[in-house]
Protein backbone atom coordinates (compact mmCIF):
# COMPACT_ATOMS: atom_id res chain seq x y z
CA UNK A 1 0.00 0.00 0.00
CA UNK A 2 1.24 3.43 -0.88
CA UNK A 3 1.65 5.45 2.33
CA UNK A 4 0.75 9.14 2.51
CA UNK A 5 3.71 11.22 3.56
CA UNK A 6 3.31 14.76 4.80
CA UNK A 7 5.84 17.40 3.89
CA UNK A 8 7.02 19.70 6.65
CA UNK A 9 7.92 23.37 6.19
CA UNK A 10 11.61 22.61 6.71
CA UNK A 11 11.60 19.77 4.18
CA UNK A 12 9.82 21.98 1.67
CA UNK A 13 12.21 24.91 2.14
CA UNK A 14 15.28 22.68 1.76
CA UNK A 15 13.80 21.05 -1.34
CA UNK A 16 13.16 24.49 -2.88
CA UNK A 17 16.68 25.64 -2.03
CA UNK A 18 17.99 23.17 -4.59
CA UNK A 19 16.18 25.22 -7.28
CA UNK A 20 18.47 28.18 -6.56
CA UNK A 21 21.93 27.16 -7.76
CA UNK A 22 23.84 29.67 -5.62
CA UNK A 23 21.76 29.32 -2.47
CA UNK A 24 23.86 28.57 0.58
CA UNK A 25 21.05 27.76 2.96
CA UNK A 26 20.93 31.17 4.63
CA UNK A 27 17.31 31.89 3.75
CA UNK A 28 16.45 28.33 4.68
CA UNK A 29 17.84 28.88 8.18
CA UNK A 30 16.00 32.17 8.47
CA UNK A 31 12.65 30.60 7.55
CA UNK A 32 13.33 27.78 9.98
CA UNK A 33 13.78 30.28 12.81
CA UNK A 34 10.65 32.20 11.81
CA UNK A 35 8.82 28.86 12.16
CA UNK A 36 10.22 28.41 15.68
CA UNK A 37 9.06 31.86 16.83
CA UNK A 38 5.67 31.25 15.20
CA UNK A 39 5.19 28.05 17.20
CA UNK A 40 6.05 29.79 20.47
CA UNK A 41 3.64 32.64 19.74
CA UNK A 42 0.98 30.10 18.68
CA UNK A 43 1.25 28.45 22.07
CA UNK A 44 0.89 31.72 23.91
CA UNK A 45 -2.05 32.83 21.73
CA UNK A 46 -3.84 29.59 22.45
CA UNK A 47 -3.55 30.19 26.17
CA UNK A 48 -4.54 33.83 25.92
CA UNK A 49 -7.83 33.26 27.69
CA UNK A 50 -6.27 31.29 30.51
CA UNK A 51 -3.23 33.09 31.73
CA UNK A 52 -2.57 36.62 32.69
CA UNK A 53 -1.31 37.94 29.39
CA UNK A 54 -4.32 39.99 28.44
CA UNK A 55 -4.64 43.71 28.89
CA UNK A 56 -2.27 46.52 28.29
CA UNK A 57 1.42 46.03 28.91
CA UNK A 58 1.53 49.55 30.25
CA UNK A 59 3.44 50.96 27.32
CA UNK A 60 2.26 52.85 24.27
CA UNK A 61 3.76 51.81 20.94
CA UNK A 62 5.31 54.11 18.36
CA UNK A 63 1.95 54.60 16.64
CA UNK A 64 0.51 56.01 19.86
CA UNK A 65 -1.64 52.93 20.38
CA UNK A 66 -1.88 50.94 23.59
CA UNK A 67 0.44 47.99 23.52
CA UNK A 68 -1.01 44.67 24.59
CA UNK A 69 1.13 42.10 26.33
CA UNK A 70 0.95 39.71 23.42
CA UNK A 71 2.34 42.33 21.04
CA UNK A 72 5.39 42.67 23.26
CA UNK A 73 5.73 38.93 23.70
CA UNK A 74 5.55 38.25 19.95
CA UNK A 75 7.99 41.07 19.23
CA UNK A 76 10.53 39.62 21.67
CA UNK A 77 10.12 36.06 20.40
CA UNK A 78 10.68 36.95 16.76
CA UNK A 79 13.63 39.18 17.59
CA UNK A 80 15.35 36.49 19.64
CA UNK A 81 14.68 33.74 17.06
CA UNK A 82 16.02 35.91 14.24
CA UNK A 83 19.06 36.83 16.28
CA UNK A 84 19.69 33.14 16.96
CA UNK A 85 19.53 32.34 13.25
CA UNK A 86 22.74 34.30 12.66
CA UNK A 87 21.46 35.21 9.19
CA UNK A 88 19.74 38.46 10.11
CA UNK A 89 21.62 41.66 10.94
CA UNK A 90 18.68 43.84 11.94
CA UNK A 91 14.93 44.15 12.46
CA UNK A 92 12.29 46.79 11.88
CA UNK A 93 9.15 46.23 13.92
CA UNK A 94 5.85 47.96 14.52
CA UNK A 95 6.62 47.76 18.22
CA UNK A 96 9.98 49.54 18.05
CA UNK A 97 10.42 53.16 17.10
CA UNK A 98 13.95 52.62 15.78
CA UNK A 99 15.52 49.74 13.89
CA UNK A 100 16.96 46.99 16.08
CA UNK A 101 20.52 46.13 15.05
CA UNK A 102 22.47 43.07 16.12
CA UNK A 103 26.03 43.70 17.31
CA UNK A 104 27.47 40.20 17.58
CA UNK A 105 29.98 39.16 14.94
CA UNK A 106 27.80 36.37 13.54
CA UNK A 107 24.72 38.55 13.03
CA UNK A 108 26.73 41.43 11.58
CA UNK A 109 27.80 38.99 8.85
CA UNK A 110 24.13 38.18 8.19
CA UNK A 111 22.95 39.37 4.80
CA UNK A 112 19.24 39.70 5.54
CA UNK A 113 17.13 42.31 7.23
CA UNK A 114 13.70 41.54 8.62
CA UNK A 115 10.59 43.70 8.97
CA UNK A 116 7.52 42.67 10.93
CA UNK A 117 4.19 43.39 12.45
CA UNK A 118 4.68 40.88 15.28
CA UNK A 119 1.03 40.84 16.32
CA UNK A 120 -1.55 42.03 13.83
CA UNK A 121 -5.15 42.50 14.86
CA UNK A 122 -4.39 43.09 18.52
CA UNK A 123 -7.87 44.47 19.21
CA UNK A 124 -9.12 40.92 18.54
CA UNK A 125 -6.94 39.13 21.12
CA UNK A 126 -9.26 39.29 24.08
CA UNK A 127 -12.36 38.33 22.05
CA UNK A 128 -10.92 35.10 20.65
CA UNK A 129 -10.82 36.23 17.03
CA UNK A 130 -8.00 35.39 14.59
CA UNK A 131 -4.80 37.42 14.76
CA UNK A 132 -1.51 37.16 12.91
CA UNK A 133 2.14 38.02 12.34
CA UNK A 134 3.35 39.62 9.09
CA UNK A 135 6.96 39.59 7.90
CA UNK A 136 9.14 40.77 5.06
CA UNK A 137 12.77 39.93 4.20
CA UNK A 138 15.29 41.98 2.19
CA UNK A 139 18.93 41.63 1.34
CA UNK A 140 20.92 44.38 3.07
CA UNK A 141 22.55 47.09 0.95
CA UNK A 142 25.19 48.05 3.52
CA UNK A 143 28.33 45.90 3.57
CA UNK A 144 28.29 42.64 5.52
CA UNK A 145 30.30 42.77 8.74
CA UNK A 146 28.95 46.22 9.64
CA UNK A 147 25.87 47.35 11.53
CA UNK A 148 22.84 47.74 9.23
CA UNK A 149 21.53 51.25 8.58
CA UNK A 150 18.06 52.70 8.02
CA UNK A 151 18.49 52.66 4.23
CA UNK A 152 18.67 48.86 4.35
CA UNK A 153 15.07 48.95 5.57
CA UNK A 154 13.77 51.64 3.23
CA UNK A 155 13.88 49.57 0.04
CA UNK A 156 10.84 49.38 -2.24
CA UNK A 157 8.73 46.22 -1.93
CA UNK A 158 9.90 44.86 -5.29
CA UNK A 159 13.24 44.17 -3.59
CA UNK A 160 11.70 41.69 -1.15
CA UNK A 161 13.42 38.30 -1.07
CA UNK A 162 10.60 36.67 0.85
CA UNK A 163 7.44 37.65 2.66
CA UNK A 164 4.76 35.90 4.60
CA UNK A 165 2.31 35.80 7.44
CA UNK A 166 1.27 33.50 10.21
CA UNK A 167 -2.42 33.35 11.02
CA UNK A 168 -3.38 32.19 14.50
CA UNK A 169 -6.89 31.09 13.63
CA UNK A 170 -8.98 27.95 14.04
CA UNK A 171 -5.67 26.40 12.95
CA UNK A 172 -2.34 28.15 12.88
CA UNK A 173 -0.95 28.54 9.37
CA UNK A 174 2.11 30.03 7.75
CA UNK A 175 1.79 31.38 4.21
CA UNK A 176 4.86 32.67 2.42
CA UNK A 177 6.46 33.43 -0.91
CA UNK A 178 10.03 33.73 -2.12
CA UNK A 179 8.87 35.02 -5.50
CA UNK A 180 8.04 31.62 -6.96
CA UNK A 181 4.40 31.28 -6.03
CA UNK A 182 2.68 31.15 -2.67
CA UNK A 183 2.52 28.15 -0.36
CA UNK A 184 0.67 27.54 2.89
CA UNK A 185 1.54 25.30 5.83
CA UNK A 186 -0.78 24.28 8.64
CA UNK A 187 0.60 23.64 12.10
CA UNK A 188 0.00 20.05 13.15
CA UNK A 189 0.10 20.49 16.90
CA UNK A 190 0.39 16.75 17.52
CA UNK A 191 3.88 16.72 15.99
CA UNK A 192 4.71 20.41 16.36
CA UNK A 193 5.43 20.92 12.65
CA UNK A 194 4.08 23.20 9.94
CA UNK A 195 2.93 20.83 7.18
CA UNK A 196 2.35 21.71 3.54
CA UNK A 197 -1.42 22.03 3.18
CA UNK A 198 -1.93 24.69 0.47
CA UNK A 199 0.51 24.27 -2.41
CA UNK A 200 0.65 26.92 -5.15
CA UNK A 201 -2.07 29.23 -3.84
CA UNK A 202 -3.75 31.36 -6.51
CA UNK A 203 -6.49 33.90 -5.95
CA UNK A 204 -9.56 34.23 -8.22
CA UNK A 205 -9.42 37.16 -10.68
CA UNK A 206 -12.99 38.04 -9.79
CA UNK A 207 -14.04 37.73 -6.17
CA UNK A 208 -17.35 38.15 -4.40
CA UNK A 209 -16.24 39.48 -1.00
CA UNK A 210 -15.44 43.07 -0.06
CA UNK A 211 -13.73 43.89 3.23
CA UNK A 212 -13.67 47.44 4.53
CA UNK A 213 -14.51 49.16 7.81
CA UNK A 214 -17.79 50.58 6.58
CA UNK A 215 -18.27 52.48 9.82
CA UNK A 216 -15.89 55.04 8.34
CA UNK A 217 -18.01 55.40 5.18
CA UNK A 218 -18.67 59.13 5.56
CA UNK A 219 -14.91 59.78 5.67
CA UNK A 220 -14.06 57.74 2.55
CA UNK A 221 -12.98 59.24 -0.79
CA UNK A 222 -15.80 59.50 -3.35
CA UNK A 223 -14.35 56.66 -5.48
CA UNK A 224 -14.47 54.24 -2.52
CA UNK A 225 -18.04 55.27 -1.68
CA UNK A 226 -19.03 54.55 -5.28
CA UNK A 227 -17.21 51.22 -5.22
CA UNK A 228 -19.07 50.16 -2.05
CA UNK A 229 -22.36 51.05 -3.74
CA UNK A 230 -21.23 49.05 -6.79
CA UNK A 231 -20.54 46.02 -4.53
CA UNK A 232 -24.06 46.31 -3.11
CA UNK A 233 -25.90 46.64 -6.44
CA UNK A 234 -27.84 43.74 -7.88
CA UNK A 235 -26.36 42.27 -11.06
CA UNK A 236 -26.52 38.50 -11.39
CA UNK A 237 -24.03 38.39 -14.30
CA UNK A 238 -21.28 39.68 -11.97
CA UNK A 239 -22.61 37.83 -8.89
CA UNK A 240 -23.54 41.07 -7.19
CA UNK A 241 -24.38 42.04 -4.54
CA UNK A 242 -21.12 40.82 -3.04
CA UNK A 243 -20.74 39.63 0.54
CA UNK A 244 -19.29 42.01 3.10
CA UNK A 245 -16.78 40.46 5.52
CA UNK A 246 -14.59 42.43 7.91
CA UNK A 247 -12.87 41.11 11.03
CA UNK A 248 -10.45 43.94 11.76
CA UNK A 249 -7.33 41.75 11.55
CA UNK A 250 -5.61 42.41 8.23
CA UNK A 251 -4.06 38.94 8.18
CA UNK A 252 -7.39 37.17 8.72
CA UNK A 253 -9.35 39.39 6.33
CA UNK A 254 -6.67 39.04 3.68
CA UNK A 255 -6.24 35.28 4.13
CA UNK A 256 -9.95 34.61 3.61
CA UNK A 257 -10.06 36.81 0.52
CA UNK A 258 -6.87 35.27 -0.90
CA UNK A 259 -8.41 31.79 -0.80
CA UNK A 260 -11.97 32.73 -1.77
CA UNK A 261 -11.54 35.82 -3.95
CA UNK A 262 -12.23 39.31 -2.69
CA UNK A 263 -10.90 42.77 -2.03
CA UNK A 264 -9.52 44.35 1.14
CA UNK A 265 -9.69 48.12 1.38
CA UNK A 266 -8.21 50.52 3.94
CA UNK A 267 -8.43 53.94 2.31
CA UNK A 268 -7.32 57.34 3.46
CA UNK A 269 -9.87 59.09 5.67
CA UNK A 270 -10.17 62.55 7.13
CA UNK A 271 -8.79 61.15 10.40
CA UNK A 272 -6.00 59.19 8.70
CA UNK A 273 -5.00 61.07 5.53
CA UNK A 274 -2.44 58.39 4.59
CA UNK A 275 -4.62 55.47 5.61
CA UNK A 276 -3.87 53.37 8.67
CA UNK A 277 -1.78 50.46 7.49
CA UNK A 278 2.01 50.51 7.46
CA UNK A 279 3.80 50.22 4.14
CA UNK A 280 6.89 48.34 5.25
CA UNK A 281 5.56 45.57 7.44
CA UNK A 282 1.87 45.30 6.56
CA UNK A 283 1.27 46.39 2.94
CA UNK A 284 4.50 45.34 1.21
CA UNK A 285 4.56 41.72 2.40
CA UNK A 286 0.84 41.30 1.71
CA UNK A 287 1.31 42.93 -1.72
CA UNK A 288 4.14 40.52 -2.60
CA UNK A 289 1.95 37.55 -1.69
CA UNK A 290 -1.08 38.95 -3.55
CA UNK A 291 0.88 39.48 -6.74
CA UNK A 292 2.49 36.06 -6.49
CA UNK A 293 -1.02 34.58 -6.20
CA UNK A 294 -2.22 36.49 -9.29
CA UNK A 295 -3.89 39.41 -7.50
CA UNK A 296 -3.10 43.10 -7.26
CA UNK A 297 -2.08 45.57 -4.54
CA UNK A 298 -2.38 49.31 -4.96
CA UNK A 299 -2.39 52.56 -3.01
CA UNK A 300 -5.30 53.64 -5.20
CA UNK A 301 -3.11 55.04 -7.95
CA UNK A 302 0.25 53.28 -7.60
CA UNK A 303 1.55 49.74 -7.35
CA UNK A 304 2.41 49.22 -3.67
CA UNK A 305 5.63 47.31 -4.44
CA UNK A 306 7.09 50.23 -6.43
CA UNK A 307 6.73 52.86 -3.72
CA UNK A 308 10.06 54.09 -2.39
CA UNK A 309 9.62 54.34 1.39
CA UNK A 310 10.80 57.40 3.26
CA UNK A 311 10.32 56.26 6.83
CA UNK A 312 10.11 53.06 8.84
CA UNK A 313 6.55 53.43 10.09
CA UNK A 314 5.07 55.15 7.05
CA UNK A 315 1.38 54.57 6.31
CA UNK A 316 -0.32 54.13 2.95
CA UNK A 317 -3.89 53.65 1.65
CA UNK A 318 -4.28 49.98 0.76
CA UNK A 319 -6.39 48.19 -1.85
CA UNK A 320 -5.57 44.53 -2.39
CA UNK A 321 -7.02 41.28 -3.61
CA UNK A 322 -8.62 39.93 -6.77
CA UNK A 323 -7.21 41.64 -9.86
CA UNK A 324 -10.45 42.84 -11.45
CA UNK A 325 -11.88 44.11 -8.15
CA UNK A 326 -8.78 46.22 -7.43
CA UNK A 327 -8.80 47.60 -10.98
CA UNK A 328 -12.47 48.52 -10.66
CA UNK A 329 -11.95 50.57 -7.50
CA UNK A 330 -8.82 52.16 -9.01
CA UNK A 331 -10.83 53.34 -12.02
CA UNK A 332 -13.54 54.83 -9.77
CA UNK A 333 -10.87 56.62 -7.71
CA UNK A 334 -9.36 58.03 -10.88
CA UNK A 335 -12.71 59.23 -12.24
CA UNK A 336 -13.44 61.07 -9.02
CA UNK A 337 -10.12 62.76 -8.61
P1 LIG B 1 -2.36 46.11 14.57
O1 LIG B 1 -3.14 45.24 15.49
O2 LIG B 1 -1.04 45.50 14.15
O3 LIG B 1 -2.20 47.52 15.06
O4 LIG B 1 -3.13 46.21 13.17
C1 LIG B 1 -4.50 46.52 13.16
C2 LIG B 1 -4.84 46.91 11.75
C3 LIG B 1 -5.17 45.76 10.82
O5 LIG B 1 -4.93 44.49 11.28
C4 LIG B 1 -6.63 45.92 10.55
O6 LIG B 1 -6.89 45.61 9.23
C5 LIG B 1 -6.93 47.34 10.89
O7 LIG B 1 -5.97 47.74 11.81
C6 LIG B 1 -8.28 47.53 11.47
O8 LIG B 1 -8.51 48.88 11.66
P2 LIG B 1 -9.97 49.46 12.01
O9 LIG B 1 -10.27 49.00 13.38
O10 LIG B 1 -9.80 50.94 11.88
O11 LIG B 1 -10.94 48.90 10.99
MN1 LIG C 1 -1.18 45.29 12.03
MN1 LIG D 1 0.60 44.92 15.33
Amino acid sequence: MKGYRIKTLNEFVIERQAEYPYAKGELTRLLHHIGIAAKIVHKKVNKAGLVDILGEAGAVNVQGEDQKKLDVFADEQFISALRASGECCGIGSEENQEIVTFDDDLSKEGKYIFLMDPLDGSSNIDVNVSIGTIFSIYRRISPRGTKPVLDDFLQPGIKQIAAGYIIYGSSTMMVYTTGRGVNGFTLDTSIGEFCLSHQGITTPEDGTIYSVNEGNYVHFPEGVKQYIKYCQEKDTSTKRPYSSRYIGSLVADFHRNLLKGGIFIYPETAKAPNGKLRLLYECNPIAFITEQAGGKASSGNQRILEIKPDSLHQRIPFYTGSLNMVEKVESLLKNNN
Side-chain angles (χ1 to χ4, degrees):
M1 196 180 87
K2 231 173 152 191
Y4 176 69
R5 171 79 173 87
I6 54 154
K7 190 173 285 176
T8 68
L9 172 66
N10 289 339
E11 287 170 344
F12 182 84
V13 171
I14 289 168
E15 197 176 290
R16 282 291 165 102
Q17 188 190 315
E19 292 172 13
Y20 299 83
Y22 303 108
K24 298 193 198 82
E26 291 147 329
L27 187 60
T28 301
R29 273 191 291 279
L30 205 57
L31 288 164
H32 172 70
H33 279 81
I34 293 168
I36 293 174
K39 284 187 242 179
I40 296 170
V41 173
H42 154 88
K43 241 185 135 207
K44 197 79 160 178
V45 167
N46 269 248
K47 282 194 199 154
L50 289 173
V51 289
D52 181 31
I53 54 167
L54 294 176
E56 326 293 336
V60 169
N61 76 9
V62 293
Q63 319 294 335
E65 300 153 342
D66 288 325
Q67 203 163 206
K68 301 278 164 95
K69 282 184 184 173
L70 255 182
D71 299 79
V72 182
F73 179 83
D75 190 50
E76 289 168 359
Q77 289 305 320
F78 277 92
I79 290 176
S80 77
L82 270 294
R83 186 195 292 267
S85 78
E87 308 296 348
C88 173
C89 58
I91 292 184
S93 162
E94 183 190 12
E95 302 304 330
N96 299 294
Q97 176 79 56
E98 310 290 341
I99 55 170
V100 176
T101 58
F102 298 148
D103 287 339
D104 58 287
D105 289 343
L106 184 64
S107 297
K108 276 201 292 196
E109 280 299 327
K111 71 173 175 203
Y112 294 112
I113 68 112
F114 188 80
L115 282 148
M116 66 170 163
D117 177 354
L119 213 293
D120 173 68
S122 31
S123 68
N124 282 322
I125 297 169
D126 42 7
V127 288
N128 215 341
V129 172
S130 299
I131 50 182
T133 297
I134 314 173
F135 64 88
S136 170
I137 299 170
Y138 293 82
R139 204 166 274 136
R140 68 188 300 177
I141 322 169
S142 58
R144 289 172 85 163
T146 62
K147 257 170 78 162
V149 293
L150 186 58
D151 274 347
D152 290 321
F153 296 80
L154 300 183
Q155 303 185 53
I158 39 168
K159 295 279 185 192
Q160 286 172 105
I161 300 297
Y165 59 82
I166 297 113
I167 175 165
Y168 312 99
S170 45
S171 319
T172 290
M173 269 189 82
M174 186 191 303
V175 174
Y176 82 93
T177 183
T178 55
R180 292 192 179 190
V182 181
N183 294 289
F185 300 80
T186 303
L187 182 62
D188 181 339
T189 51
S190 65
I191 57 169
E193 294 280 2
F194 282 102
C195 300
L196 183 60
S197 53
H198 297 64
Q199 189 161 10
I201 296 173
T202 55
T203 196
E205 277 193 4
D206 291 289
T208 55
I209 299 170
Y210 71 102
S211 306
V212 61
N213 185 344
E214 247 171 294
N216 293 327
Y217 185 87
V218 291
H219 301 298
F220 288 162
E222 191 51 35
V224 173
K225 287 182 178 169
Q226 285 183 11
Y227 183 68
I228 291 172
K229 286 292 160 228
Y230 169 86
C231 293
Q232 296 169 343
E233 270 163 23
K234 185 165 186 264
D235 175 21
T236 39
S237 68
T238 51
K239 296 191 184 149
R240 285 180 292 148
Y242 297 150
S243 288
S244 163
R245 294 280 184 276
Y246 190 76
I247 291 173
S249 291
L250 169 64
V251 168
D253 281 311
F254 174 76
H255 182 70
R256 178 198 55 241
N257 292 358
L258 176 73
L259 298 183
K260 296 196 167 182
I263 185 168
F264 177 93
I265 296 176
Y266 208 110
E268 65 273 38
T269 63
K271 225 169 63 186
N274 298 316
K276 178 182 183 190
L277 300 177
R278 277 57 63 113
L279 174 61
L280 292 190
Y281 42 81
E282 291 183 316
C283 304
N284 268 337
I286 295 290
F288 191 16
I289 292 168
T290 311
E291 287 197 5
Q292 283 294 313
K296 189 164 184 178
S298 159
S299 67
N301 56 22
Q302 205 182 353
R303 183 182 174 208
I304 288 288
L305 294 181
E306 287 176 4
I307 298 170
K308 170 78 183 87
D310 49 40
S311 67
L312 193 58
H313 300 289
Q314 162 176 1
R315 298 173 194 264
I316 195 88
F318 196 39
Y319 302 81
T320 191
S322 293
L323 184 73
N324 293 334
M325 297 178 94
V326 175
E327 289 188 345
K328 176 74 186 173
V329 71
E330 277 180 329
S331 79
L332 291 173
L333 286 164
K334 198 169 164 198
N335 292 343
N336 286 282
N337 221 337

